[in-house]
Amino acid sequence: MKMVQTLETVKTEQEINLIDNVFTAAEAATIINDVLNAKINFHKIKRLSIKEGNENDACEYDNGRIQELLNEQQIAKEFFSQARIQGKKLKIKSKVYIGLEE
């Protein structure tokens, strides 16, 4: 029997090409709102989980991040509205970089 030795490569980084296309203003609004809503909900659930363990925790990071994302959502809404009025299409590119934290 022949033994084959392989080296297992340990991946320390990953890149995901999440979005890369041209969209109508309505399509772009749907995509971006869905992504923002997912992140907002993530922080809301995290905040709720923290509060269950310690009702006195102010959850400052999550509260601040939720507000930032809501502000970005409003800015995006206005941007998409302008694009829609002008009859423009929108190019969206989004890459996610993931790396191990030491």
Side-chain angles (χ1 to χ4, degrees):
M1 180 186 293
K2 185 177 179 183
M3 296 281 264
V4 178
Q5 185 177 10
T6 61
L7 295 175
E8 190 173 313
T9 305
V10 177
K11 208 172 189 183
T12 59
E13 293 182 331
Q14 182 177 356
E15 181 179 308
I16 301 170
N17 190 13
L18 191 61
I19 307 168
D20 187 5
N21 210 340
V22 175
F23 301 95
T24 65
E27 291 169 333
T30 298
I31 292 166
I32 298 303
N33 278 322
D34 286 352
V35 170
L36 288 169
N37 283 333
K39 280 293 292 172
I40 290 166
N41 287 337
F42 168 82
H43 286 287
K44 285 180 177 180
I45 289 169
K46 187 175 169 197
R47 181 180 62 189
L48 179 62
S49 176
I50 291 169
K51 282 288 194 182
E52 283 183 349
N54 181 1
E55 63 189 39
N56 296 321
D57 191 318
C59 301
E60 290 177 24
Y61 174 77
D62 292 301
N63 287 333
R65 188 66 180 131
I66 290 167
Q67 192 55 54
E68 285 175 23
L69 293 167
L70 289 169
N71 290 341
E72 291 298 330
Q73 198 170 38
Q74 183 59 41
I75 292 167
K77 180 179 177 182
E78 293 166 10
F79 182 77
F80 298 136
S81 179
Q82 290 175 359
R84 191 175 302 118
I85 289 168
Q86 296 173 7
K88 301 286 185 179
K89 293 209 173 208
L90 300 165
K91 172 78 172 168
I92 302 177
K93 293 182 94 157
S94 174
K95 289 191 182 207
V96 176
Y97 297 94
I98 306 167
L100 297 178
E101 182 70 22
E102 296 297 326

